[in-house]
Each structure stands twice: as structure tokens, then as C-alpha cells.
Amino acid sequence: MPLTPEQRAEIEDARAETRQTLRATSDGMESHLYRAHEVLDHGLVRVIDYMGDDSAIVQAARVSYGRGTKAVQNDEGLIRYLMRHWHSTPFEMCEIKLHVKLPVFVARQWIRHRTANVNEYSARYSILDREFYIPAPEHLAAQSVQNNQGRGETLEGEEAARVLDWLREDAGRAYDHYEAMLSQDGQQGLARELARMNLPANIYTQWYWKTDLQNLFHFLRLRADPHAQYEIRVYAEAICRIVADWVPAAYRAFEDYRLGGASLSAKALDCVRRMGRGEEVTQETSGMSKGEWREFMAVMEG
Amino acid sequence: MPLTPEQRAEIEDARAETRQTLRATSDGMESHLYRAHEVLDHGLVRVIDYMGDDSAIVQAARVSYGRGTKAVQNDEGLIRYLMRHWHSTPFEMCEIKLHVKLPVFVARQWIRHRTANVNEYSARYSILDREFYIPAPEHLAAQSVQNNQGRGETLEGEEAARVLDWLREDAGRAYDHYEAMLSQDGQQGLARELARMNLPANIYTQWYWKTDLQNLFHFLRLRADPHAQYEIRVYAEAICRIVADWVPAAYRAFEDYRLGGASLSAKALDCVRRMGRGEEVTQETSGMSKGEWREFMAVMEG
Amino acid sequence: MPLTPEQRAEIEDARAETRQTLRATSDGMESHLYRAHEVLDHGLVRVIDYMGDDSAIVQAARVSYGRGTKAVQNDEGLIRYLMRHWHSTPFEMCEIKLHVKLPVFVARQWIRHRTANVNEYSARYSILDREFYIPAPEHLAAQSVQNNQGRGETLEGEEAARVLDWLREDAGRAYDHYEAMLSQDGQQGLARELARMNLPANIYTQWYWKTDLQNLFHFLRLRADPHAQYEIRVYAEAICRIVADWVPAAYRAFEDYRLGGASLSAKALDCVRRMGRGEEVTQETSGMSKGEWREFMAVMEG
Amino acid sequence: MPLTPEQRAEIEDARAETRQTLRATSDGMESHLYRAHEVLDHGLVRVIDYMGDDSAIVQAARVSYGRGTKAVQNDEGLIRYLMRHWHSTPFEMCEIKLHVKLPVFVARQWIRHRTANVNEYSARYSILDREFYIPAPEHLAAQSVQNNQGRGETLEGEEAARVLDWLREDAGRAYDHYEAMLSQDGQQGLARELARMNLPANIYTQWYWKTDLQNLFHFLRLRADPHAQYEIRVYAEAICRIVADWVPAAYRAFEDYRLGGASLSAKALDCVRRMGRGEEVTQETSGMSKGEWREFMAVMEG
């Protein structure tokens, strides 16, 4: 449970004050505002602010394409057209600001998406809380045998217990020493910017993260993917549910064209065409390597 | 007068519909929403949407600096501190979306600021309107004698009249031919994407332009500067007035530290220090070139 | 013919001076350096500098993936793997700097790709040359009847002649007046920053444009596409030929996975799977709109 | 000593192979290529590749400003002019690619500079080495009493010894457990992407980092500043020495206008002007807060 009673009260206060605005609003998003979506053992995602809705995408597209867009009969059709043809700029007209609490090793992956604005809690200025991510037993996975960056079976028995003990004990001891080094009780106290170096990568940090819908979709396509690491995927999935309420038409198009779609190479397209004509195609006659063929078969089988 | 009665009605309609929101609002900005600020002879700037206010900047800073910011007594002091020390990320937490109608040669300067989202009216899809920027007589300036990119005196008499006639006639004829080339009356009609090449750089285009406050301040510092070309400066000045109403504390800090401030080189600082000690400093003893010294003197004299 | 004898001499001079370096070099690229590839009637593309080669991509990937990449047997296989799985950062490790001379209306499309560094010839500081793009007769296309942003048949006979005359005459007259307004012979002379507004969008400008290989591929995918406007596509095609010599393995992967590939939606994948099982699928049973189905059929037929 | 004999041999090999190129070269930079500059106890900075030199900046500026730049007599003068007037695009025409080995807590600060290309060693794919940053005794500083993000006196005696022991022991134990969790000896072995979470922020990581000179200067201005954390400042200083050899004229301008310069607010400029006229100015008559006045006095006193 990531929230203190104090934090719950703050959220209730924020939600209690309704204001008047002439801006576009999204009812689905208003119901999310400020509320904490719990993720992992101590993490959360909260919407702090947003700009635009489905109609803001359409409006921007109509500025660009003027009379040319009149032919498209309705907003959802136009949004699907834009998504299908990679017209990305109208989706950039929506913006979201999230408050995220997440383990440092997840934050390090997340920050590789550069087209966003970030304000992270600073461990140079301030003292981090004693909160660490400890995987639930069912997510304590072995290294994959096939895939260098994948997970295999769940660890069991003594091995699992040993891992959980180490993670808990090392984090606890590191934090004890962090506090002891910082203490100014009978000693000078180490600088915060130095003491933090003792903390492990499963400690929680938090940030405000702001990005536009186009870049958010790119983030979600990569991080809500089954190959993404579980610990970041759960954040992406929580955000997917929020976006589905914010811009329902855009999210449906995203699901169809991106999340559920696939990119086929020229070789793969050639195979698909031959298969469509009833021809039998094998890896040998496909022109693909074994690895590519295996991935292609996975796409073909759904 | 850049607005048609139809457009005025649309703006009134947009302003007539008030909605409820839990988001931060800025009263100053609500009064600007959708309204057209007229710029040049047919141009305009309108706020279409915004995210955040002064307190959103403070809130983001407090996430970053945690307890460290409690020492600062009030919001305006904290905003001034952030601006003074180039802590730019909290200002990125505010976002603005503008509708701008502007001559193409101004748009070409504007677009060099890359950190923004843009949806421009497309002359591939659609037909541009017959609207051209013709300078008012008092802005019809001669080439500067000193400065390769500056303006000198105002043109007068026959020369001014000749220039205005040419600008008007060439634009009119180019547009007549644009229309005649596009016409499908008794002929095929040239493709729009080709016909547009006949149009001069003073024709008006329009776009939606969305950026964060930090990048907007950077744009305004360069384009509201007295050395910026008049035709873009008037847009920057119109936006300055809007921003002053949107985030008053941030704008005051921007005025003090950026618009009204100056960057001094190591050599200039050395001169200032010597002058502060009562020493007389000349170009010869300053270590500066003549050009630098002239610019330094201009700063010192205000 | 876009080059003056003086420019040809400059290029020969630049190519005459060989230097020693410890950096990675690409033989294919060295043969392009400084040489002008002519595009349209007065345009050009020249490589001014480059950083990296195929092995620089591999080297960066091996930093990231460490021992994990040892399993891939060779460099080309690794490059294909990276491209297939959208691992974009290794491709960002190569950089190219081009000198491009192009019509202003092409430049306005091009600049929408924001992740690049640009130094454009400034018509505020300097005087543009009398050079305009006039389409060759076979590229003088009518507006498409189906497609708002497309081209149809080639114009013929009197209509074509009339268009070419107008384009030539309007450009010539606009330039005459540009010169006459600038002239300081017996008059003050209009400021350059104002006089330029009389010039049409088919006048040539030039710039240095620098970007990384990842962003260049994105540009090429959109602009070397058959749906791109002819006048920008020829630039993209010229650059494709250069890139094929610079990073041959990366370019082959790009051709297979991007230029020759296609993105299929969830609905399209479902159809492909059903067709692969021998099922007959029609637009009615596909779940797609007519427009989508038409585009899907075009992909399936190649 | 951050390099193994194997790595030294690789560097010697890379430096042994000289190639021919027609590109611009920088002699100062060639002497740095591939060589390791040691930083902290196990860190390093190495130049892997570069594009351009001082003359590339000048060349790009002359494309932009055309005849307008002829008035400037020499290249260094033009470079100083560009730097003084914030003409940033010509500096973007130079690019550098560095290999950096650095503690994770330093990497987390560094990555906040978003306008760069990065390939980091992946602890999802690969196993990190047992290397940790342990501060030298003279850099083991207490928390500053005045400044939330600063350092005070050096720790001494038992307190210092205790801190160093904890840092060493906790890192060693965390790494022992990391290895033990990964081990597939008699057990399944935890997934790498999970095991890494036990590692503290002083473990070393490494990356390839590529950026343009304009953005590099921005990074250096912030990180070579006396207020930057010591552990990142030493990297910035090492890079400063490299850049001074790469683009000597640009670096001198950077030193004068940025590193050694200062931004003064409108209020500070007003004080400077009054002091220049011999007037006595105090905090009370300056219009500044106490904090601002203290900072202003620090600038005035050098």
C-alpha cells in the first residue's frame, strides 16, 4: 500500500475543489485526476494534469489538412486514418502529466525515452524513504535459457527464499547505514549527495513526468509489450488503462494499429503474398534466417 | 482585421461553454482562451489550451527538491530562485497551445525553434486564402548601413510608394495565377502541391503551435528582443502579454532575469569589477575588441 | 546545372587534400565527400562530413548488450536483429552532414523533421540568387481526383504551356522587383529582411543539415515513399544512394524492414492468418472500412 | 586504474591503424582518440569519434550569413561573435562520441541532459563487473550547513573510517549476493534483470555518449561549475581539456563568455550602472533580496 493517510487526505482535498474552465475536458480523465493507481509493492501512477481530448486531435488535423479532411465522415474515422498513415503531429497536441513512484532500476529504463519533461525527487537535496521493491514470489523468475534479456520459470523453494532474504536484508542494512552516515547526532554527518550512493537499485524514487500523446504511445508500445521487463510493463499497463479513458478513440486506434499490429519485412510480405496465393512456404524458401522465420511464424500464429 | 464574422461567432461559441474541471486553472488565461489577438495586418495569436499555472511550477520544484525547498518562504521567491539558477525543469511542467496566423517568411524563422509541436495548414491538401502581409508605411525600413541584418530609416516618398505597389501587385498577380492554375474549369487543373510554389513569402499561413513554458521563454527572449525582426517581434510581444496573465510570478522573474538582464563575459565582468573599485576602464585596457566594447557600453548605459 | 565553375573548382580542391586520421572511415562515403549530386533543375545534395560506419553500429550495440551479443555470429546479422527489434540507439551513433540546395517549398516540408541540426542561408543577412524551380514538363501533374494530396495525369498542351509561362514570368518579375527594391542606386534601398517577402516558394535556398542515421532513416522512410511529393522524393532517393554506400549492411536492413516492409493492424493480421489457413476473406468479413481494405489489398498484391 | 592490460592493448591497436580521409580533421583531437583519461577511482573518458573542427563552425556560419560574414576579419573573431550573440546552430555542426565509465549515481545526473545519443551497458543482458566508487578520504565531505545540496568540511577520524568501511562492505556484500543469485550452479539462477536490483548506486556502468558541441557546452557549463557535485565535475573537467584541444578557438570563446561569464538580472544591471557612476549601492537600495544580493556580491568580487 503505497499511500499514507496524509497522502490520501491530500488527494481527497485536491479532488474536492472543482473549478470552471473554458478548455476542452475529458470526463474519463477527470475521474482519474490525482487518484493513485497502485503498481508493484510500493509504486503508483497518478494523473496530475492533462491537455486535450479526442476532439483536440481532430481539430489539429483539420487545421493541417483543411478542406481535405471534410471527406472523412466522422472523428473516429479521421483518427484511425491519422494513426494508420503515421500522421503523428495531431497526436502531439494532447499532453499528460503524471506523478510516478517507481524503483530506481525501472526509472533508469524509463528515462531512456528522452522526449519528455521530468522532475525527479533529488537525493542530493533530500532524504529518500525506506521503501524497496521486493518481488512477489510469483515474479521471482529465473534467467531465460533462450533469451539473454528474458525470464524463465519461477524460482522455487529454498532458492526463492534465499533470494528474497538477501534482497530484504541487503536493502535494510544499506538503508540503516545510509541513515547512520547522514546522522548529525554526535558527528558531522555525511553529505546527502554522497550517502545516497550506498542505496540499492530497488529503492523507490518518484517524479513528475510530462509528455505528449504521440510520445506516450511510443513509450506504451515498447513498454506494454510482452517482451518488456515485468516491472516496467505494469506501469505501462496502468497508463494504458488511463489513456483508454482519456482519449477513447485514439486509444482504440492505437490498440488496433500498434499494440495489436506488427511490422512485416519485405521478405515477410513476400511470404504472406505467396501464402495468400495458396503456396506453401518454408523457412528454406522464405529467404529468412531461422530466427526471423521463428518470429514470423509467431506473428502468423497470433 | 483578420477575423470573419463566422470566425467571431465560433470564438463566442467556444467561450460560451463553461465546463467543470479538477485541474489547476489560471484566471488570467481563462480570459484569453480562444480570443484573437490581432497582429500585423491579417495575423493573429489565440490561446487554444494551456496546462498549469504558477503553482504547478512550485509543485514540480518541491517534488524535486523535497524538504530542501521548505526554507524558501513563498512561491514567488522559489520561482525567482529557480529562474536565477537556471533550474529549467519545473518551468517545463506548464504547456501552452496557440493558434497563430502569420506570413510565411515569419513562419520560416519561427520554426527554427525545434522544441515544439506544430500542425500547419497544408497547401498540399488545401487552398490558401488570398491574404498577404503588406507593411504599414512606418515599417517600410531601409537596409541598415551598419548592420547586415538590421533596418535603418523608414523609406519615404516615391521609393516607398513604388515598393508598396510592387508588393501588392506581385502578390495579387501570383495569387490570380495560383487560382487560374488550380481551376478545373475547362482544364485539368494543376496539383495543389505544385501550384503553391507560385505564392510569395508574404502570404499568410496558420498553425497550431504547442510548447512548454521553458522553451516558450527561450523563444520570447530571442524574438521579443529589440534586435529581432519587427514582423516576428510583434507576435512575441503579443505572447508576452498573454504569458504575463497566465503565470504572473514566472513572467516577472523572466522579465527581471532574462528580458531585462544581460550576459557578461569574463572580460566584461573584470571591467565591471574594476569600475566598481573606481578604476577608469577604456576599450584599450578592457581586453575587448571594438565591437565587444561598443556592445558592453550599450549594456552599461542601459 | 547547379554548379558554377568556381564551385566545381572548390570541390576539386576539397577532394585534393587527403588527411590522416585514426577514426573509422567508410570507403564508400569517402568517394562521395563534397561531390555534388544534382537534383531537380538547380538543386543538389553533397556530403560535407560523416561519423561512423557499419562497424560503429555494431560496436555501440556490443557496449549495450555486452556478452549478450556474442551469440550473433556476424555484424550484418546483428544489424538486422537491431533493425528488426527497433533497437534504435546503435544507429544513432552514426552522423551525417549534408549540404542541400532546394526550393523553399521543399525546405518547408523537410524542416518538419525536427531532430536535426540546420544552418540555412539567411535572406535577412544576404541576397538570394536568381534561381527558381520550374518543373520539367513530365512532372507537371494535375490534381489527383481521388486523393487530396496526390497528383493525377500530366498536364498537356496549352494548359501545360500556360502554367510554365506563369511560373517563369511571375518568378522573374518577383526577382526583378526584389533587386529593384534592394538597390541603393539613387534610393535608400529596402531592408533585405523585408524585400525577401516578395520571392515565391520555388526560389532555391540552401542549408547544412546534420542528423544521425536513425533519424535519417525515419526521414527517408517517409520521404522516399511513393506517396511523398515528387520534389522532395528525389532528394530522399539521392540520399538513399549515398547511405547505401556509407553503411551498406544497415542500408540493406533498412530496405528490407522499412522501405520494403509494411505495418499491419491487428485486423489486417487477423485476415492474413485466416488467409494463411485457406479461408476466403472479403472486406465485409474483414472488419475493415473500405479505405483500409483497399490499402490492405494494395499491400497484399505488392 | 580503470584499464585492464587487455583494454590497453585494444587501445594501442586502435591507435596503430592510420587511415586516409578527405574529411576535416583536428590534430588535437587525433592525439586523444581512444585514449583513456582516468577519472575517479575506476572511471574513464575516451574519445571514440568526432566530426568537425573550428573551421567547420565557421563554414556553417558562412552558409547562414553569406556575404554578411565577410566583414568579420578572421575565424576566431567570427566564433567569438557567434558565441556572444547566442547563435547556436553553427556549434551544432560539430559532434563528439565518448566512451564513459562512471558510477550509476553520476550516470543518473548526466542522463538528465536529454539532447544526446546514448548506448549504455545493459544489466538486463549482461553481468556488471565488481567495481565500485569509494571516495578518496579528502572527498568524504559532510553535509553543508548552509546549502541543502552542498558539501561542507571533510569528515575526519572515526566517522570517516566508519563511512568508508560501510561503503566498502555493503558494496562487497551486495555484489557477493548478486553473483550468488545469478549462479546456475546447483540452482536455476535469478534473471539478470532482477538480480541487478541488489546493486548499489556506486557501482560503475559505462556508455557511449554522443552529442553536438552546442549541447556539450551547455552540459559543461552546468557540470564544470563549482556548484556541481564533485563526482560529475571531474568528468566535465576532463572533457573540457579534450574540447580545448579539439576546437581551441570555440573553447576559448566558451571560457570567456560562458564558464567565466555571468548573467545579471535587470536589478543587478541597474546596480552595476549606478556603481559605474560612483553611487554607493547597498542591499537595501538594490531592490534585491538578501540571497540575491549575496550572490551578486560574489560575482562582483570575482
Side-chain angles (χ1 to χ4, degrees), chain B residues 11-63:
Chain B
I11 291 170
E12 288 317 307
D13 282 357
R15 289 195 55 84
E17 196 182 341
T18 301
R19 296 176 192 82
Q20 306 277 311
T21 190
L22 297 172
R23 292 175 289 174
T25 56
S26 159
D27 289 345
M29 202 61 154
E30 291 286 333
S31 73
H32 282 293
L33 264 172
Y34 309 122
R35 283 196 173 127
H37 297 260
E38 306 192 358
V39 185
L40 298 179
D41 49 355
H42 300 285
L44 61 80
V45 172
R46 297 197 303 138
V47 180
I48 299 299
D49 209 341
Y50 70 93
M51 175 191 278
D53 59 358
D54 275 330
S55 67
I57 301 165
V58 169
Q59 186 186 27
R62 294 203 198 273
V63 167

Side-chain angles (χ1 to χ4, degrees), chain D residues 135-153:
Chain D
E138 66 270 27
H139 295 122
L140 209 63
Q143 177 64 31
S144 164
V145 189
Q146 291 96 33
N147 186 340
N148 269 304
Q149 69 170 326
R151 293 187 184 189
E153 303 289 299

Side-chain angles (χ1 to χ4, degrees), chain B residues 29-230:
Chain B
M29 202 61 154
E30 291 286 333
S31 73
H32 282 293
L33 264 172
Y34 309 122
R35 283 196 173 127
H37 297 260
E38 306 192 358
V39 185
L40 298 179
D41 49 355
H42 300 285
L44 61 80
V45 172
R46 297 197 303 138
V47 180
I48 299 299
D49 209 341
Y50 70 93
M51 175 191 278
D53 59 358
D54 275 330
S55 67
I57 301 165
V58 169
Q59 186 186 27
R62 294 203 198 273
V63 167
S64 295
Y65 309 125
R67 295 160 205 170
T69 53
K70 299 249 171 88
V72 180
Q73 282 156 327
N74 60 51
D75 286 3
E76 180 139 12
L78 178 54
I79 285 175
R80 288 182 62 82
Y81 175 90
L82 296 170
M83 181 76 76
R84 192 158 76 245
H85 292 95
W86 303 86
H87 289 300
S88 54
T89 55
F91 296 102
E92 295 174 5
M93 290 288 132
C94 294
E95 190 90 10
I96 190 172
K97 180 162 43 171
L98 299 171
H99 174 207
V100 188
K101 189 174 155 198
L102 71 179
V104 162
F105 71 94
V106 174
R108 297 242 294 137
Q109 272 197 340
W110 194 308
I111 204 74
R112 291 172 55 188
H113 297 266
R114 288 161 297 181
T115 314
N117 308 119
V118 185
N119 277 270
E120 184 175 357
Y121 186 86
S122 167
R124 274 189 89 192
Y125 279 80
S126 304
I127 297 170
L128 287 166
D129 290 327
R130 186 191 284 269
E131 288 183 312
F132 299 90
Y133 169 60
I134 305 294
E138 65 272 25
H139 295 121
L140 208 63
Q143 178 64 29
S144 163
V145 190
Q146 291 97 30
N147 185 340
N148 269 303
Q149 69 170 328
R151 293 186 182 190
E153 303 289 298
T154 305
L155 296 193
E156 291 182 358
E158 273 181 50
E159 184 180 358
R162 201 160 50 229
V163 163
L164 290 176
D165 283 349
W166 281 334
L167 290 177
R168 273 196 213 97
E169 287 167 21
D170 287 356
R173 187 186 300 105
Y175 196 87
D176 289 344
H177 292 160
Y178 172 66
E179 278 192 318
M181 293 189 287
L182 288 174
S183 168
Q184 299 183 337
D185 189 3
Q187 64 175 18
Q188 290 184 277
L190 185 64
R192 287 171 205 153
E193 66 181 29
L194 287 172
R196 63 171 164 167
M197 81 171 77
N198 204 51
L199 297 169
N202 58 344
I203 196 165
Y204 275 87
T205 182
Q206 49 185 310
W207 61 32
Y208 273 32
W209 188 72
K210 172 171 154 288
T211 196
D212 65 63
L213 183 59
Q214 169 66 16
N215 279 290
L216 183 64
F217 278 150
H218 186 67
F219 173 85
L220 294 176
R221 184 165 69 88
L222 294 177
R223 301 306 176 181
D225 186 273
H227 295 95
Q229 179 165 355
Y230 167 76

Side-chain angles (χ1 to χ4, degrees), chain C residues 3 7-8 10-19 29-37 44-50 97-99 208, chain D residues 21-25 59:
Chain C
L3 291 181
Q7 289 167 330
R8 290 191 185 280
E10 262 179 51
I11 292 171
E12 287 317 305
D13 283 358
R15 289 194 55 84
E17 195 181 343
T18 302
R19 295 176 191 84
M29 202 62 156
E30 291 286 332
S31 74
H32 282 293
L33 265 173
Y34 308 124
R35 283 197 172 127
H37 296 261
L44 61 80
V45 172
R46 299 195 304 138
V47 179
I48 297 300
D49 210 342
Y50 70 93
K97 181 164 39 172
L98 299 171
H99 174 205
Y208 273 32
Chain D
T21 189
L22 296 172
R23 291 174 290 174
T25 57
Q59 186 186 26

Side-chain angles (χ1 to χ4, degrees), chain B residues 104-105 107-109 111-112 114-118 120-122 124-126 133-135 139-144 147-156 159 162-163 166-171 173-174 176-178 180-184 186-203 205 207 223 227-231, chain C residues 104-105 107-109 111-112 114-118 120-122 124-126 133-135 139-144 147-156 159 162-163 166-171 173-174 176-178 180-184 186-203 205 207 223 227-231:
Chain B
V104 162
F105 71 94
R108 297 242 294 137
Q109 272 197 340
I111 204 74
R112 291 172 55 188
R114 288 161 297 181
T115 314
N117 308 119
V118 185
E120 184 175 357
Y121 186 86
S122 167
R124 274 189 89 192
Y125 279 80
S126 304
Y133 169 60
I134 305 294
H139 295 121
L140 208 63
Q143 178 64 29
S144 163
N147 185 340
N148 269 303
Q149 69 170 328
R151 293 186 182 190
E153 303 289 298
T154 305
L155 296 193
E156 291 182 358
E159 184 180 358
R162 201 160 50 229
V163 163
W166 281 334
L167 290 177
R168 273 196 213 97
E169 287 167 21
D170 287 356
R173 187 186 300 105
D176 289 344
H177 292 160
Y178 172 66
M181 293 189 287
L182 288 174
S183 168
Q184 299 183 337
Q187 64 175 18
Q188 290 184 277
L190 185 64
R192 287 171 205 153
E193 66 181 29
L194 287 172
R196 63 171 164 167
M197 81 171 77
N198 204 51
L199 297 169
N202 58 344
I203 196 165
T205 182
W207 61 32
R223 301 306 176 181
H227 295 95
Q229 179 165 355
Y230 167 76
E231 280 80 14
Chain C
V104 162
F105 71 94
R108 297 240 296 137
Q109 271 197 340
I111 204 73
R112 291 171 54 187
R114 287 160 298 180
T115 315
N117 308 118
V118 184
E120 183 175 357
Y121 185 87
S122 168
R124 276 189 86 191
Y125 279 80
S126 303
Y133 169 60
I134 306 294
H139 294 121
L140 208 64
Q143 177 65 28
S144 163
N147 186 339
N148 270 304
Q149 69 170 328
R151 292 186 183 191
E153 304 288 298
T154 304
L155 297 193
E156 290 182 357
E159 183 179 358
R162 200 162 49 228
V163 164
W166 280 335
L167 291 176
R168 273 196 212 95
E169 287 168 20
D170 287 355
R173 185 186 301 104
D176 289 344
H177 292 159
Y178 173 65
M181 292 188 287
L182 289 173
S183 168
Q184 300 183 337
Q187 64 176 16
Q188 290 183 276
L190 185 64
R192 286 172 206 154
E193 67 181 30
L194 287 172
R196 61 171 165 167
M197 83 171 76
N198 205 51
L199 296 169
N202 60 341
I203 196 165
T205 183
W207 61 34
R223 301 305 175 182
H227 295 95
Q229 180 165 355
Y230 167 77
E231 281 78 16

